[in-house]
Amino acid sequence: MLASQGRRWAIACSSDRVGTALVWSVLGGNLAHLPYRRDDGTVAGLDAPDADRRGVSRLSVAATFGMPYQTARGRVAALVADGLVEHAAGGLIVPAAVLGRPAMQVAQRGDHDALAEMVGLLVLAGYPLPARLTVAKVERLPTAIAARLALDFMLRSLETARQMHGDILNSAIIGGIITANIRDLMADAGFARRYADHDVPPPDHLRRPIPLRQLAREIDAPFVTVRRRVEAMRAAGDIVVLPAGLIVPAATLARLRFQENNAIIVRNMRQMLRDVMRITM
């Protein structure tokens, strides 16, 4: 879900992964104070009016991703020039009009569908869902609220990954390799059930290596930069370079820091599912 979400939003923003993540950070900060369901029963999705959005500072955006302030300042200036972010009275906002653009609507519908698909896969895998939560209820969610739930899940996951891997790009590289290694296998319900527990990683012989150039394309990062980062990760023993490409081996995923990271992501997912259930009650 997270990998496909990144690709959709990068296309919608016409930006790389870092620029897209900065848009997410501003947008998430704009809406963080709003409950998903208001007292009057209405929901607050990504389409909340600008008057309800709280501006965020460039400093907070930089801190979210551990980015040098001057770097964040330059990247935000580029997003403002591209019309994705605006300066408002309280700071930076992603205006509702931007989220109403056709490409942004496509991304949000994709998030809605991916959330329903994820719940369906969890059902196939025998994962215990919150009581009375069904795929049909997720499918009936308004697109804007489903996309906000997906955004908050992404931001929590990015923060966890950044703390573990150091920055957004390292997180994207590791996550991109892991996703590519098992992408074709996740459609197999038997495989999903067998490895549903985060502390039981699939064996290496089942993983599909991803070529370095393909990885750079998928995470939309310069090939030379990705090659340099991958070499450092290989030297640290986090990834293995095979003739067919790169894998994150089971031995790496079994390390305590990866297990703890996965456990946090699972908790974040459970929180999102509980939020879905409360909205649909």
Side-chain angles (χ1 to χ4, degrees), residues 25 35 165 184 192-193:
S25 178
H165 300 298
D184 295 342
R193 281 192 296 271

Side-chain angles (χ1 to χ4, degrees), residues 33 35 113 120 132 163 169 181 195 233 264:
H33 65 288
D113 294 345
R132 299 184 299 281
Q163 291 177 1
L169 182 55
N181 290 166
Y195 299 106
M233 292 175 184
I264 292 171

Side-chain angles (χ1 to χ4, degrees), residues 25 59-67 155 158-159 162:
S25 178
L59 186 61
S60 68
V61 172
T64 298
F65 296 116
M67 185 180 293
L155 287 172
L158 280 176
E159 174 61 17
R162 184 196 66 78

Side-chain angles (χ1 to χ4, degrees), residues 130-189:
R132 299 184 299 281
L133 179 61
T134 64
V135 176
K137 286 186 175 181
V138 178
E139 290 175 339
R140 290 196 294 270
L141 280 174
T143 296
I145 189 64
R148 183 182 171 197
L149 288 162
L151 169 68
D152 289 347
F153 177 46
M154 171 63 85
L155 287 172
R156 288 192 291 265
S157 299
L158 280 176
E159 174 61 17
T160 300
R162 184 196 66 78
Q163 291 177 1
M164 179 178 178
H165 300 298
D167 65 19
I168 299 174
L169 182 55
N170 280 348
S171 302
I173 289 171
I174 287 285
I177 296 172
I178 292 172
T179 300
N181 290 166
I182 61 172
R183 180 181 295 143
D184 295 342
L185 300 171
M186 289 307 296
D188 183 331

Side-chain angles (χ1 to χ4, degrees), residues 31-160:
L31 305 176
H33 65 288
L34 296 175
Y36 292 121
R37 181 179 287 278
R38 301 184 180 92
D39 292 340
D40 62 4
T42 60
V43 294
L46 296 189
D47 56 352
D50 290 352
D52 289 347
R53 298 171 191 260
R54 286 185 180 170
V56 299
S57 69
R58 287 174 295 195
L59 186 61
S60 68
V61 172
T64 298
F65 296 116
M67 185 180 293
Y69 175 74
Q70 291 302 327
T71 301
R73 181 180 180 181
R75 295 300 302 249
V76 167
L79 295 174
V80 171
D82 289 341
L84 293 168
V85 172
E86 291 182 1
H87 291 285
L92 303 167
I93 67 167
V94 178
V98 169
L99 295 161
R101 295 174 183 173
M104 289 290 190
Q105 289 292 302
V106 169
Q108 292 173 64
R109 286 194 295 271
D111 289 351
H112 176 281
D113 294 345
L115 178 57
E117 181 182 15
M118 185 193 77
V119 172
L121 288 172
L122 290 173
V123 170
L124 287 176
Y127 187 86
L129 297 177
R132 299 184 299 281
L133 179 61
T134 64
V135 176
K137 286 186 175 181
V138 178
E139 290 175 339
R140 290 196 294 270
L141 280 174
T143 296
I145 189 64
R148 183 182 171 197
L149 288 162
L151 169 68
D152 289 347
F153 177 46
M154 171 63 85
L155 287 172
R156 288 192 291 265
S157 299
L158 280 176
E159 174 61 17
T160 300

